[in-house]
Structures are given as C-alpha cells and as structure tokens.
Amino acid sequence: MSIGSAHASDKASASASAGAAPTARLEPFVVNLASFDRYLQTIITLQMGAPESADKVKLFMPMVRHAVITTLSSKDYTEIQTVEGKKTLIEELRKKINGALSTKDHDGVQDIFFENFVIQ
C-alpha cells in the first residue's frame, strides 16, 4: 500500500465521519406483544436531523421510551415479522417519537435502526 492511498483512505474516513448524522441509542426494550403469548426484544438507534435533537432525546427519555413501549406492545407478531411490517413500524415509531420530542420532522428522528429484533 502506498502512502498516497493511505492518505486518501484516511481523508474519506474523515469526510464520512464529519458528515455523519447524529444518533441516539436507546436502552434495550423487552415488551409483550398484543397477543400476550409472544414478546419482542429489541435495541433501537435513532438517526436525528440535528445534533440538538439528539440531546433532546436524553432529556425526554421517559416520554420517548413510553412512546416506543406503547407502540411495540400494541403490535401482533404477524404484523412486524416481515420486512414490510418493520418498515411500517419504523415510520409509526418515527412519528410518535417526534411527537414526544415536539420536534419538526426535519430536525427530529430521520430514521430508526433496529440493532436487535427478536420475537419469541
């Protein structure tokens, strides 16, 4: 590997991290699903539109967790086991969390990433 290619690689990494959107990782969730015979264990990371919104998540954490728990526990496992079901869930969670944060869509949650998603 030449020095020039290492330098270019470092520059690309620096550019990627400098342009990265702020995130807020939530503590794990374990909730009973609507049918009560199954539960969901998940870890969620929020991609925020503005750095101050990521700080706001910490401040409003009880309301954020409440919004997530009530949304997740209202679902039947058949609704959320497919890719399409997860996409619908992400959009619903995004709207409810932004509501809990009282943020505009462009500043609030932009996307949601499931780091873990286990239905048992």
Side-chain angles (χ1 to χ4, degrees):
M1 178 163 95
S2 72
I3 294 173
S5 65
H7 181 66
S9 175
D10 289 345
K11 256 183 149 175
S13 296
S15 295
S17 64
T23 59
R25 187 171 196 241
L26 305 180
E27 292 293 320
F29 292 89
V30 178
V31 298
N32 288 318
L33 295 174
S35 60
F36 287 109
D37 62 340
R38 302 207 185 234
Y39 67 90
L40 170 66
Q41 176 185 347
T42 188
I43 298 173
I44 296 172
T45 296
L46 309 174
Q47 181 179 340
M48 307 305 291
E52 55 274 5
S53 294
D55 293 335
K56 198 171 184 181
V57 170
K58 293 175 190 167
L59 185 63
F60 286 83
M61 188 59 74
M63 286 71 83
V64 170
R65 288 191 62 83
H66 176 76
V68 172
I69 289 169
T70 56
T71 302
L72 295 176
S73 64
S74 72
K75 303 298 177 189
D76 189 78
Y77 77 95
T78 58
E79 293 177 79
I80 57 175
Q81 65 185 6
T82 65
V83 172
E84 192 58 40
K86 288 178 183 73
K87 287 179 183 179
T88 301
L89 177 61
I90 286 170
E91 185 56 27
E92 187 176 345
L93 285 170
R94 191 182 71 75
K95 288 178 182 176
K96 288 193 177 181
I97 294 169
N98 281 339
L101 296 173
S102 299
T103 59
K104 305 262 190 256
D105 280 345
H106 65 278
D107 288 335
V109 178
Q110 300 296 301
D111 204 354
I112 294 177
F113 305 104
F114 294 117
E115 295 183 43
N116 182 27
F117 197 94
V118 179
I119 298 173
Q120 291 186 331

